[in-house]
Amino acid sequence: MARLTELYKQRRLAVGEIVIDNYDEIFQMNGEAVMNQVQVELSKLFDEWLKDRHAIVKRLVRERYIFIIEKRHLDVIKNEKFDLLEKVKKISPFQFSLYNFVVVFEF
């Protein structure tokens, strides 16, 4: 019974938010065409990052993304936060950073 309870806890869902800092400044300096290209690269990066973790990620507005993930994978992702930050910085010559990376709600 204890194993079943632990399995249940690990498979519960969590909802998180990722916010890209400096987005508006870079948009104003470089225009819509460049930012569309950057958005595509960010989406690819997030999809790849969550691919094997039974998760989904969707863009809400320009600089805000939401993801839904199983609790068992969330713990791993929390430890890899800065790994994702380095990947975000590499997709563009601009100075992007992750302003917010937070788990909003766990079911």
Side-chain angles (χ1 to χ4, degrees):
M1 186 64 155
R3 172 141 167 68
L4 187 58
T5 302
E6 182 61 28
L7 184 61
Y8 168 75
K9 287 179 182 177
Q10 290 299 311
R11 294 206 172 183
R12 291 177 18 198
L13 295 178
V15 177
E17 178 184 45
I18 302 169
V19 180
I20 306 296
D21 198 15
N22 303 342
Y23 187 94
D24 288 331
E25 295 169 23
I26 295 169
F27 178 80
Q28 290 174 359
M29 290 173 25
N30 298 284
E32 189 171 344
V34 170
M35 292 314 294
N36 286 340
Q37 189 175 12
V38 168
Q39 286 174 352
V40 168
E41 292 301 318
L42 283 171
S43 292
K44 286 181 191 177
L45 174 68
F46 294 147
D47 286 343
E48 182 65 29
W49 178 62
L50 295 171
K51 180 173 80 172
D52 296 325
R53 295 191 169 115
H54 303 274
I56 59 170
V57 63
K58 295 293 178 193
R59 185 169 61 114
L60 296 176
V61 293
R62 291 181 178 195
E63 75 281 0
R64 292 186 183 277
Y65 293 78
I66 189 169
F67 64 95
I68 301 172
I69 189 167
E70 290 182 354
K71 171 80 168 87
R72 63 186 169 144
H73 298 293
L74 176 64
D75 297 334
V76 174
I77 285 176
K78 284 180 181 178
N79 294 330
E80 295 175 351
K81 175 181 172 183
F82 296 106
D83 181 43
L84 177 64
L85 176 58
E86 291 306 314
K87 291 177 181 178
V88 168
K89 287 180 180 179
K90 288 179 184 177
I91 69 163
S92 170
F94 315 115
Q95 284 298 313
F96 278 120
S97 62
L98 295 181
Y99 173 71
N100 195 4
F101 181 91
V102 60
V103 175
V104 179
F105 184 75
E106 290 185 39
F107 294 93

